[in-house]
Amino acid sequence: MYETLALRGAPARLLLALFFAAAGACGDDDGGGSTDLGAMDAGGMRDAGMRDAGDGDAGSDDMGVERDAVFAVAGGTFTPEGVLGYVAVVPNIDAGLEVDLEDALVFAGNGFIQPGPNLDGRFYVIVNERPVIERYVVDDEGTITLDDEVGFAGFGITTLSARNPMHFLDDGRAYLVDVGTRQVVIWDPEEMTVSDSFSIDGLEREGLTAGSNNIVRDGDRLVLSLRYFRPDMSAATVTTAVIIDTTDDSVTYAEDTRCGNIAGHIVAGTGDLYFSSHTSQAARIRAGEAGDDPSVPCLLRMRAGADDFDGDFFVELNALTGDSPTGFLIPGAGNTAYVLAYNEEIVPITDQPSAVLTQTGAWEYWAVDLGGAVDTATKVPGFPASSAFGFAFLLEGTEGVTPYIISIGDGFATSTLYDVSDPGEFVEGATVPGLSLGAFRLR
């Protein structure tokens, strides 16, 4: 649940991709017949975030003038009428923050929220799966105003429902990656105009339904992976990666047939890309819903700059956590990452369907060192168990990147942000309404 890219030297920003099911917060993935709450894309997010994570008290503009920092939190609340997404302007993301949705931007249904490439108070929104990107601006009083919009219907796009479709390359050039029409549209986030497009049509697999994941950054490249599902909606053991070179808009494809239902992605401190299966795959297997010859929960790797998956690397995720159902890969500091493993001592597994297992608050965080052999994991002590949906975001400050994990409360009523820059001491931050997918800095 995942990035804003600022390639070619422009400052990077954080993308918040909000995935909400209109009928509630459950389900697997877009290939599995329902809406996935997803995982924030850790990899591309390593280069995304804020110019100054700081303490939220003060920042500076490009002229060196001190000014108050302005943050925003994004999320969604669940009502009898459906899902309401929101963006709320806040002074910080510290513990004790009170978020008032009275003054927030609130919209119905699915949405994708992304700050602009500069700390100028602007952010971009896709709402209700319309083929339109809206640009908003936040003034010094924190008022949110619609500033402009750009449409993509002229390229045959009727809905925008990809995971994290917006990617800034520089101030006047951005990508909109649309998996539905298998194309990338080039647009200008300053002028709010479109100029060209190119194809990413090498994604089809006969007899299978494709489900897209978040896009991660690898230098001047964007990497999008896809998972595939059989007619009975069980996961096929195949993964495809689309590698886009932003310097010349060229496209390369890679395929792996050892792992299925890939969902979690990060770029490690080494620069290598890691791809992990969804927690739902582990839950489906334990619930007997994974079909014949199911793909085991697994972890793949693509070396930095490589055009194919690493054939010498394959990890069974359950083996890292004592054979507990395990999935996702969530970013930490440096080469530290986290997987989610189900603890049957909290809630025993009997005859629960996989959809119930993924929503049960019995999934615990385990730390993995991606700088080593990746043959073991260590349970994070004292951190509350949660649902199977691993949300995270990274804030880039003047002294480095601060990784955050989002702990989701029962019934998705609230979410709490935790600074996990020290793997041994998670620091509690703000608690926000509903299901949060993170925070970003506007100025």
Side-chain angles (χ1 to χ4, degrees):
M1 136 124 159
Y2 71 128
E3 80 252 44
T4 298
L5 300 184
L7 311 182
R8 303 173 184 162
R13 291 292 168 267
L14 170 66
L15 167 67
L16 299 178
L18 304 183
F19 309 106
F20 301 121
C26 63
D28 258 359
D29 40 67
D30 41 358
S34 57
T35 303
D36 183 7
L37 295 183
M40 286 302 289
D41 171 18
M45 302 278 293
R46 187 164 300 280
D47 293 312
M50 303 176 182
R51 196 173 287 164
D52 178 12
D55 59 8
D57 291 333
S60 62
D61 61 20
D62 291 338
M63 301 299 293
V65 179
E66 291 298 318
R67 62 185 304 172
D68 291 338
V70 177
F71 294 85
V73 293
T77 59
F78 301 90
T79 73
E81 291 73 31
V83 176
L84 294 178
Y86 69 82
V87 179
V89 178
V90 295
N92 57 63
I93 55 172
D94 300 335
L97 172 72
E98 294 185 6
V99 178
D100 185 358
L101 297 185
E102 291 283 332
D103 298 321
L105 170 68
V106 178
F107 52 88
N110 297 342
F112 302 87
I113 296 94
Q114 179 168 340
N118 303 300
L119 289 176
D120 58 4
R122 294 190 293 183
F123 63 91
Y124 297 76
V125 178
I126 297 172
V127 178
N128 290 340
E129 300 182 343
R130 297 168 54 225
V132 173
I133 295 176
E134 299 173 337
R135 186 173 69 195
Y136 289 84
V137 63
V138 177
D139 64 20
D140 290 340
E141 285 71 44
T143 302
I144 302 173
T145 304
L146 177 63
D147 180 53
D148 205 345
E149 67 176 37
V150 58
F152 298 87
F155 289 83
I157 300 173
T158 58
T159 63
L160 292 175
S161 55
R163 299 286 176 151
N164 57 332
M166 293 184 280
H167 300 272
F168 295 142
L169 308 181
D170 55 43
D171 286 351
R173 186 168 182 264
Y175 279 168
L176 176 75
V177 182
D178 186 63
V179 175
T181 58
R182 307 297 197 252
Q183 66 180 317
V184 178
V185 180
I186 301 171
W187 62 289
D188 186 330
E190 280 292 325
E191 300 297 326
M192 296 298 279
T193 57
V194 296
S195 59
D196 202 357
S197 69
F198 58 91
S199 173
I200 51 170
D201 59 3
L203 311 177
E204 302 299 331
R205 297 295 177 271
E206 186 176 355
L208 301 177
T209 300
S212 63
N213 297 314
N214 291 312
I215 300 169
V216 298
R217 175 184 176 178
D218 177 21
D220 282 337
R221 312 187 320 163
L222 302 182
V223 181
L224 164 68
S225 70
L226 286 92
R227 43 191 161 157
Y228 297 86
F229 296 85
R230 306 181 184 101
D232 66 357
M233 301 320 299
S234 63
T237 309
V238 60
T239 300
T240 296
V242 183
I243 305 165
I244 303 169
D245 188 331
T246 64
T247 64
D248 59 9
D249 301 334
S250 62
V251 179
T252 304
Y253 300 93
E255 182 177 275
D256 191 280
T257 57
R258 299 172 295 166
C259 195
N261 205 351
I262 285 292
H265 303 63
I266 77 166
V267 178
T270 60
D272 297 331
L273 282 68
Y274 288 84
F275 306 79
S276 67
S277 57
H278 201 297
T279 44
S280 70
Q281 185 65 14
R284 285 179 173 187
I285 291 172
R286 288 299 299 270
E289 300 173 5
D292 297 331
D293 191 25
S295 173
V296 300
C298 46
L299 183 65
L300 300 176
R301 179 172 67 191
M302 182 180 289
R303 291 293 193 182
D307 291 330
D308 208 346
F309 291 97
D310 184 350
D312 296 326
F313 182 90
F314 179 86
V315 173
E316 291 194 20
L317 288 174
N318 289 8
L320 300 179
T321 61
D323 202 32
S324 298
T326 303
F328 273 153
L329 196 62
I330 303 163
N335 286 314
T336 299
Y338 302 94
V339 295
L340 285 167
Y342 192 96
N343 186 346
E344 292 194 56
E345 293 184 359
I346 298 176
V347 180
I349 297 177
T350 54
D351 58 353
Q352 302 101 313
S354 62
V356 172
L357 290 177
T358 55
Q359 294 181 68
T360 300
W363 296 81
E364 297 180 319
Y365 284 82
W366 291 60
V368 179
D369 180 9
L370 297 178
V374 195
D375 55 5
T376 187
T378 304
K379 184 189 297 187
V380 176
F383 193 71
S386 67
S387 69
F389 304 104
F391 296 111
F393 65 101
L394 300 176
L395 300 184
E396 182 182 349
T398 55
E399 298 182 358
V401 172
T402 302
Y404 281 81
I405 281 176
I406 304 171
S407 180
I408 303 167
D410 289 343
F412 305 101
T414 61
S415 301
T416 302
L417 316 181
Y418 285 85
D419 177 344
V420 296
S421 52
D422 181 351
E425 185 179 358
F426 290 2
V427 178
E428 183 175 344
T431 295
V432 301
L435 173 64
S436 172
L437 293 183
F440 55 91
R441 184 170 175 177
L442 290 164
R443 281 198 293 268

